[in-house]
Amino acid sequence: MARALALAESALYLTSPNPRVGCVLVAADGRILGEGHTQKAGEAHAEVMAIRDATSKGHLVAGQLPKGSTAYVTLEPCFHMGRTGACSAALIQSGLGQVVASLEDPNPLVAGQGFAALRAAGIEVEIGDGALEAKELNIGFLKRMAADVGTGTPWVRMKAASSLDGITALPNGTSQWITGEAARIDGHQWRARACAVLTGIGTVLADDPNLDVRHVATLRQPTLVIVDSQLDTPPNAKLWNVPARAIWIYCATSDLNKKQVLEAKGATVICLPSSPTGKVDLAAMLQDLGRRQINELHVEAGFKLNGSFWREGLVNELLLYQSAQLMGAGQGIANIGLFETLVQTPKLRYHAVDLIGNDLRILARKI
């Protein structure tokens, strides 16, 4: 199972919106017969890749694995016919004796049916080995699929870089670079695993960022999501120069001319009913992103939009890089307003704290 989890992790930047899954086929005497991980959406899943690997190595005779073989897989084999065939059926046809799986798939199209099909075919099923690691690899997929069909929302991860006293920019806006190169590269790894990177129009206008993945190798660029109530995204911004990347702009205006200009640049413009303040309704936006199969949403925005996410209770996780310096006055991580009591403040728990170069990486999750 450790090897299956490692295979799943190697697909971290590849499989979106499908889950990251690894599979290892093992003979009764402990020999590894084949292994594989889920490919990009529309291509083979982990179980099929493992069977293909075993076939290429001559371990299948007349389409059958050696008697008593076991499949170690990090998520329940799918039951339904989607863009690829049902993995549970492929395992049954291979003549397996046992399947050891980390998790049940909460996808309503699977949800235990894959395990039921295996058991009905006389295959022993064991569930739970490697469950914690498999959950971490697929935290967004599991969150989105655990809700009723059509209502699941992404796992929202907010990334920020600050000084030891919590400042993300000097009063004049200077923020490059608060943290070191190692932290910036690590931040790109978190971008790469996300289905989408989100920012606000304030950041676009102030910094003219690319917001792409540059410092790590990846076969796909996450979708760029821009919260832009009045469609003020400049047609000559740098963000348009990233090839093969989808750009979705959420707005709260009916300005047809602006919409057409941005659509001509290749953006998908999504107009939602505005909030009472005339801004994009963030909760409605997350519902729409869920329907568009966004599992993990990586937020890199300014303190105003960050504050809106926190005030509306929409953040699941804070990814904070903290440098060992003091910056005094300046902008904080999020403008969440004034509180009269500590009971009112958002509560988080430390999930992981690591030293990345000379900076701390803090992963804290909402309680």
Side-chain angles (χ1 to χ4, degrees):
M1 184 57 77
R3 176 58 183 161
L5 288 163
L7 288 164
E9 186 172 10
S10 72
L12 197 62
Y13 309 154
L14 178 66
T15 66
S16 174
N18 291 336
R20 298 104 180 199
V21 182
C23 180
V24 178
L25 303 175
V26 182
D29 61 5
R31 289 177 298 123
I32 292 181
L33 304 173
E35 60 183 31
H37 61 71
T38 299
Q39 303 299 297
K40 66 181 181 180
E43 297 185 6
H45 292 184
E47 299 90 335
V48 172
M49 293 298 295
I51 291 171
R52 288 178 183 175
D53 186 40
T55 301
S56 71
K57 294 173 179 175
H59 294 312
L60 268 77
V61 179
Q64 298 288 290
L65 290 166
K67 187 176 180 180
S69 296
T70 298
Y72 291 85
V73 60
T74 60
L75 188 68
E76 177 182 6
C78 63
F79 176 76
H80 62 295
M81 291 290 294
R83 285 175 287 194
T84 60
C87 293
S88 54
L91 292 176
I92 292 168
Q93 291 166 8
S94 72
L96 276 173
Q98 183 184 33
V99 170
V100 179
S102 300
L103 298 170
E104 180 177 304
D105 188 343
N107 183 343
L109 297 174
V110 185
Q113 296 179 83
F115 290 145
L118 293 169
R119 290 188 175 109
I123 296 174
E124 181 183 345
V125 175
E126 179 184 318
I127 307 167
D129 187 11
L132 182 61
E133 296 90 340
K135 286 178 181 177
E136 288 296 320
L137 286 171
N138 292 298
I139 196 165
F141 175 83
L142 296 173
K143 178 181 184 293
R144 181 171 68 87
M145 284 298 178
D148 292 336
V149 178
T151 64
T153 56
W155 178 267
V156 178
R157 178 180 297 117
M158 181 173 289
K159 180 262 181 181
S162 81
S163 61
L164 205 57
D165 51 351
I167 301 302
T168 62
L170 295 174
N172 64 5
T174 300
S175 62
Q176 295 183 346
W177 297 102
I178 293 175
T179 55
E181 183 179 8
R184 294 196 295 276
I185 292 173
D186 191 74
H188 276 242
Q189 293 175 342
W190 288 89
R191 277 187 193 176
R193 69 170 283 167
C195 295
V197 174
L198 179 145
T199 196
I201 184 60
T203 298
V204 171
L205 295 176
D207 299 338
D208 195 18
N210 288 310
L211 285 171
D212 60 341
V213 177
R214 299 184 300 280
H215 297 314
V216 296
T218 179
L219 296 177
R220 51 169 285 275
Q221 285 288 339
T223 296
L224 177 61
V225 176
I226 305 172
V227 180
D228 182 5
S229 298
Q230 301 304 311
L231 292 179
D232 293 325
T233 300
N236 61 346
K238 290 180 182 176
L239 58 86
W240 301 109
N241 299 330
V242 179
R245 176 176 67 176
I247 298 178
W248 301 345
I249 302 178
Y250 283 87
C251 69
T253 181
S254 57
D255 191 318
L256 185 59
N257 289 333
K258 286 185 175 180
K259 182 173 183 288
Q260 289 176 338
V261 168
L262 296 175
E263 287 177 337
K265 292 291 295 184
T268 299
V269 178
I270 305 143
C271 296
L272 298 176
S274 64
S275 67
T277 60
K279 303 292 185 180
V280 171
D281 185 327
L282 297 180
M285 179 190 69
L286 291 184
Q287 292 282 349
D288 188 73
L289 288 171
R291 287 190 290 269
R292 295 172 188 267
Q293 298 186 300
I294 298 299
N295 296 328
E296 294 183 22
L297 181 65
H298 182 92
V299 177
E300 292 196 32
F303 75 110
K304 291 182 180 179
L305 183 55
N306 284 353
S308 297
F309 269 95
W310 281 108
R311 287 194 302 273
E312 296 184 34
L314 303 177
V315 181
N316 299 111
E317 183 172 71
L318 176 64
L319 173 65
L320 177 64
Y321 296 90
Q322 197 168 58
S323 68
Q325 62 180 314
L326 302 176
M327 291 173 58
Q331 297 176 5
I333 294 169
N335 180 18
I336 54 178
L338 300 174
F339 299 103
E340 295 181 356
T341 67
L342 291 176
V343 175
Q344 298 172 319
T345 61
K347 301 294 192 300
L348 299 94
R349 60 175 175 82
Y350 290 112
H351 180 73
V353 179
D354 297 284
L355 189 64
I356 307 295
N358 294 320
D359 304 303
L360 279 184
R361 181 186 66 197
I362 299 170
L363 203 62
R365 291 180 177 170
K366 186 179 176 182
I367 296 175

